[in-house]
Amino acid sequence: MHEDMERVLITEEEIARRVRELGAEISQDYAGKELLVVGILKGAVIFMADLVRCLNIPVRLDFMAVSSYGASSESSGVVRILKDLEQNIEGLDVLIVEDIVDTGLTLNYLRENLLTRGPASLKICTLLDKPSRRKVNVQVDYNGFVIPDEFVVGYGLDYDGRYRHLRDILILKREVYSGKEQREN
Ligand SMILES: O=P(O)(O)OC[C@H]1O[C@H](OP(=O)(O)OP(=O)(O)O)[C@H](O)[C@@H]1O
Ligand SMILES: Oc1ncnc2cn[nH]c12
Ligand SMILES: [Mg+2]
């Protein structure tokens, strides 16, 4: 195992099995429709690539990048759009795909923002959910795994931009992030 890692939390095999399950569930819910899948850069890219290949419905892809919210106040969570969608989503069925919901600030902002653009429907899929860290409530429609309050990396998730390429989801050794706040917020 990678020397910076405490332990494996979810193996690549467990991830693959769960992604197939989510794909089947989403395909069933959107049978007969076309889905615009919106991936939130960068962390969601790897999950999204696997998930969409488990869908047996027509799919289009688009991406957004948002700022991490820095020193914003606890509740509101100022989130800036760094890269917006290319696609006009009015009247479309849209599924936001995320790697993790932690405080919920990112998704809460994104959901509000995209709803103002008039999609026919808007749902949220996340691979990981850390309910213990929630600061704002956000409804998740498709949830891969509920995990404890540990800082995880791999399968798209990073620390300081590293470890996204690792095939499992692993818990990072505390000394690697030297006790710094998990999220500067
Ligand atoms: O629920 P929240 O507390 O808002 O945290 C979740 C968000 O934080 C991470 O993204 P990050 O801002 O680290 O960017 P990245 O996806 O490029 O790693 C993660 O990918 C989610 O988008
Ligand atoms: O555990 C985690 N690992 C990587 N990025 C994030 C964001 N929120 N929580 C995280
Ligand atoms: Mg990240």
Side-chain angles (χ1 to χ4, degrees), residues 8 11 17 23 29 49 54 68 95 97 109 113 143 148 158 160 162 165 171 185:
V8 174
T11 67
R17 185 180 327 114
D29 291 354
C54 291
S68 41
L95 179 67
V97 172
Y109 172 81
N113 180 289
N143 200 333
D158 74 307
D160 193 21
R162 295 185 177 84
H165 64 296
I171 293 175
N185 54 26

mmCIF file of all heavy atoms in Angstrom, residues 8 11 17 23 29 49 54 68 95 97 109 113 143 148 158 160 162 165 171 185:
data_model
loop_
_atom_site.group_PDB
_atom_site.id
_atom_site.type_symbol
_atom_site.label_atom_id
_atom_site.label_comp_id
_atom_site.label_asym_id
_atom_site.label_seq_id
_atom_site.Cartn_x
_atom_site.Cartn_y
_atom_site.Cartn_z
ATOM 1 N N VAL A 8 -6.736 1.053 3.517
ATOM 2 C CA VAL A 8 -7.755 1.094 2.460
ATOM 3 C C VAL A 8 -9.130 1.197 3.119
ATOM 4 O O VAL A 8 -9.440 0.446 4.037
ATOM 5 C CB VAL A 8 -7.692 -0.184 1.584
ATOM 6 C CG1 VAL A 8 -8.841 -0.206 0.576
ATOM 7 C CG2 VAL A 8 -6.346 -0.267 0.876
ATOM 8 N N THR A 11 -12.158 -0.829 -1.475
ATOM 9 C CA THR A 11 -11.287 -1.366 -2.527
ATOM 10 C C THR A 11 -11.868 -1.051 -3.906
ATOM 11 O O THR A 11 -13.072 -0.795 -4.050
ATOM 12 C CB THR A 11 -11.181 -2.900 -2.420
ATOM 13 O OG1 THR A 11 -12.465 -3.458 -2.722
ATOM 14 C CG2 THR A 11 -10.702 -3.333 -1.053
ATOM 15 N N ARG A 17 -18.285 -2.563 -8.043
ATOM 16 C CA ARG A 17 -19.584 -3.218 -7.841
ATOM 17 C C ARG A 17 -20.655 -2.165 -7.551
ATOM 18 O O ARG A 17 -21.745 -2.169 -8.142
ATOM 19 C CB ARG A 17 -19.504 -4.218 -6.676
ATOM 20 C CG ARG A 17 -20.800 -5.011 -6.495
ATOM 21 C CD ARG A 17 -20.805 -6.024 -5.350
ATOM 22 N NE ARG A 17 -19.530 -6.629 -5.099
ATOM 23 C CZ ARG A 17 -18.829 -6.427 -3.963
ATOM 24 N NH1 ARG A 17 -19.298 -5.624 -3.022
ATOM 25 N NH2 ARG A 17 -17.678 -7.013 -3.779
ATOM 26 N N GLY A 23 -25.376 2.595 -11.634
ATOM 27 C CA GLY A 23 -25.662 2.718 -13.061
ATOM 28 C C GLY A 23 -26.980 2.069 -13.433
ATOM 29 O O GLY A 23 -27.787 2.639 -14.188
ATOM 30 N N ASP A 29 -34.379 4.603 -13.676
ATOM 31 C CA ASP A 29 -35.128 5.825 -13.358
ATOM 32 C C ASP A 29 -35.295 6.740 -14.571
ATOM 33 O O ASP A 29 -36.253 7.482 -14.662
ATOM 34 C CB ASP A 29 -34.429 6.599 -12.230
ATOM 35 C CG ASP A 29 -34.516 5.861 -10.895
ATOM 36 O OD1 ASP A 29 -35.205 4.823 -10.847
ATOM 37 O OD2 ASP A 29 -33.873 6.299 -9.918
ATOM 38 N N ALA A 49 -16.495 8.844 -15.215
ATOM 39 C CA ALA A 49 -16.082 8.036 -16.381
ATOM 40 C C ALA A 49 -16.580 6.593 -16.230
ATOM 41 O O ALA A 49 -17.079 5.995 -17.183
ATOM 42 C CB ALA A 49 -14.566 8.056 -16.527
ATOM 43 N N CYS A 54 -21.738 2.651 -17.281
ATOM 44 C CA CYS A 54 -22.685 1.656 -16.739
ATOM 45 C C CYS A 54 -24.126 2.069 -17.034
ATOM 46 O O CYS A 54 -25.064 1.447 -16.534
ATOM 47 C CB CYS A 54 -22.497 1.522 -15.227
ATOM 48 S SG CYS A 54 -20.938 0.763 -14.766
ATOM 49 N N SER A 68 -13.098 26.007 -4.152
ATOM 50 C CA SER A 68 -13.367 25.589 -2.780
ATOM 51 C C SER A 68 -13.580 26.904 -2.050
ATOM 52 O O SER A 68 -13.077 27.945 -2.466
ATOM 53 C CB SER A 68 -12.191 24.821 -2.204
ATOM 54 O OG SER A 68 -11.001 25.444 -2.600
ATOM 55 N N LEU A 95 -28.193 15.375 -14.279
ATOM 56 C CA LEU A 95 -27.698 14.656 -13.108
ATOM 57 C C LEU A 95 -26.310 15.211 -12.761
ATOM 58 O O LEU A 95 -25.380 15.090 -13.558
ATOM 59 C CB LEU A 95 -27.593 13.152 -13.392
ATOM 60 C CG LEU A 95 -27.051 12.287 -12.231
ATOM 61 C CD1 LEU A 95 -28.031 12.259 -11.057
ATOM 62 C CD2 LEU A 95 -26.763 10.857 -12.713
ATOM 63 N N VAL A 97 -22.915 14.869 -10.916
ATOM 64 C CA VAL A 97 -22.118 13.768 -10.365
ATOM 65 C C VAL A 97 -20.944 14.337 -9.573
ATOM 66 O O VAL A 97 -20.165 15.146 -10.100
ATOM 67 C CB VAL A 97 -21.616 12.844 -11.499
ATOM 68 C CG1 VAL A 97 -20.620 11.807 -10.965
ATOM 69 C CG2 VAL A 97 -22.800 12.135 -12.160
ATOM 70 N N TYR A 109 -24.744 25.015 -3.280
ATOM 71 C CA TYR A 109 -24.622 26.161 -4.200
ATOM 72 C C TYR A 109 -24.936 25.724 -5.637
ATOM 73 O O TYR A 109 -25.717 26.360 -6.352
ATOM 74 C CB TYR A 109 -23.206 26.755 -4.121
ATOM 75 C CG TYR A 109 -22.967 27.797 -5.177
ATOM 76 C CD1 TYR A 109 -23.417 29.101 -5.007
ATOM 77 C CD2 TYR A 109 -22.361 27.453 -6.369
ATOM 78 C CE1 TYR A 109 -23.251 30.051 -5.997
ATOM 79 C CE2 TYR A 109 -22.181 28.400 -7.372
ATOM 80 C CZ TYR A 109 -22.628 29.690 -7.187
ATOM 81 O OH TYR A 109 -22.463 30.623 -8.172
ATOM 82 N N ASN A 113 -27.896 27.050 -8.114
ATOM 83 C CA ASN A 113 -27.504 27.745 -9.343
ATOM 84 C C ASN A 113 -28.110 27.080 -10.575
ATOM 85 O O ASN A 113 -28.695 27.743 -11.439
ATOM 86 C CB ASN A 113 -25.967 27.753 -9.441
ATOM 87 C CG ASN A 113 -25.473 28.459 -10.684
ATOM 88 O OD1 ASN A 113 -25.618 27.938 -11.798
ATOM 89 N ND2 ASN A 113 -24.924 29.658 -10.513
ATOM 90 N N ASN A 143 -26.557 7.634 -3.776
ATOM 91 C CA ASN A 143 -25.470 7.735 -2.816
ATOM 92 C C ASN A 143 -24.660 6.454 -2.824
ATOM 93 O O ASN A 143 -25.188 5.385 -2.508
ATOM 94 C CB ASN A 143 -26.091 7.956 -1.419
ATOM 95 C CG ASN A 143 -25.075 8.543 -0.459
ATOM 96 O OD1 ASN A 143 -23.881 8.325 -0.629
ATOM 97 N ND2 ASN A 143 -25.544 9.271 0.533
ATOM 98 N N PRO A 148 -17.130 7.383 7.329
ATOM 99 C CA PRO A 148 -16.894 8.119 8.578
ATOM 100 C C PRO A 148 -16.123 9.402 8.312
ATOM 101 O O PRO A 148 -15.716 9.671 7.171
ATOM 102 C CB PRO A 148 -16.048 7.132 9.400
ATOM 103 C CG PRO A 148 -15.421 6.212 8.424
ATOM 104 C CD PRO A 148 -16.357 6.130 7.247
ATOM 105 N N ASP A 158 -8.423 13.958 -3.857
ATOM 106 C CA ASP A 158 -7.023 14.391 -3.721
ATOM 107 C C ASP A 158 -6.745 14.941 -2.338
ATOM 108 O O ASP A 158 -7.644 15.301 -1.591
ATOM 109 C CB ASP A 158 -6.731 15.502 -4.741
ATOM 110 C CG ASP A 158 -7.389 16.833 -4.302
ATOM 111 O OD1 ASP A 158 -8.609 16.815 -4.043
ATOM 112 O OD2 ASP A 158 -6.682 17.855 -4.174
ATOM 113 N N ASP A 160 -4.087 18.095 -1.718
ATOM 114 C CA ASP A 160 -3.115 18.989 -2.333
ATOM 115 C C ASP A 160 -2.818 18.571 -3.775
ATOM 116 O O ASP A 160 -1.666 18.632 -4.238
ATOM 117 C CB ASP A 160 -1.809 18.986 -1.494
ATOM 118 C CG ASP A 160 -0.881 20.137 -1.904
ATOM 119 O OD1 ASP A 160 -1.388 21.112 -2.502
ATOM 120 O OD2 ASP A 160 0.346 20.024 -1.671
ATOM 121 N N ARG A 162 -2.690 15.650 -5.055
ATOM 122 C CA ARG A 162 -2.058 14.334 -5.212
ATOM 123 C C ARG A 162 -3.052 13.210 -4.959
ATOM 124 O O ARG A 162 -4.128 13.414 -4.407
ATOM 125 C CB ARG A 162 -0.872 14.214 -4.253
ATOM 126 C CG ARG A 162 0.244 15.205 -4.598
ATOM 127 C CD ARG A 162 1.488 15.013 -3.732
ATOM 128 N NE ARG A 162 2.530 15.933 -4.164
ATOM 129 C CZ ARG A 162 2.606 17.208 -3.744
ATOM 130 N NH1 ARG A 162 1.718 17.670 -2.875
ATOM 131 N NH2 ARG A 162 3.537 18.016 -4.185
ATOM 132 N N HIS A 165 -5.037 9.403 -8.686
ATOM 133 C CA HIS A 165 -4.884 8.254 -9.596
ATOM 134 C C HIS A 165 -4.973 6.912 -8.885
ATOM 135 O O HIS A 165 -5.018 5.863 -9.544
ATOM 136 C CB HIS A 165 -3.528 8.356 -10.304
ATOM 137 C CG HIS A 165 -2.370 8.246 -9.350
ATOM 138 N ND1 HIS A 165 -2.144 9.183 -8.351
ATOM 139 C CD2 HIS A 165 -1.423 7.303 -9.194
ATOM 140 C CE1 HIS A 165 -1.090 8.833 -7.657
ATOM 141 N NE2 HIS A 165 -0.623 7.702 -8.136
ATOM 142 N N ILE A 171 -7.503 5.959 3.386
ATOM 143 C CA ILE A 171 -7.420 6.991 4.418
ATOM 144 C C ILE A 171 -5.977 7.459 4.503
ATOM 145 O O ILE A 171 -5.058 6.632 4.635
ATOM 146 C CB ILE A 171 -7.900 6.439 5.777
ATOM 147 C CG1 ILE A 171 -9.397 6.139 5.693
ATOM 148 C CG2 ILE A 171 -7.593 7.426 6.897
ATOM 149 C CD1 ILE A 171 -9.974 5.466 6.926
ATOM 150 N N ASN A 185 -12.191 26.144 5.735
ATOM 151 C CA ASN A 185 -13.482 26.820 5.450
ATOM 152 C C ASN A 185 -14.031 27.504 6.699
ATOM 153 O O ASN A 185 -13.467 27.346 7.738
ATOM 154 C CB ASN A 185 -14.502 25.771 5.013
ATOM 155 C CG ASN A 185 -14.612 24.670 6.037
ATOM 156 O OD1 ASN A 185 -14.345 24.847 7.211
ATOM 157 N ND2 ASN A 185 -14.964 23.487 5.546
#
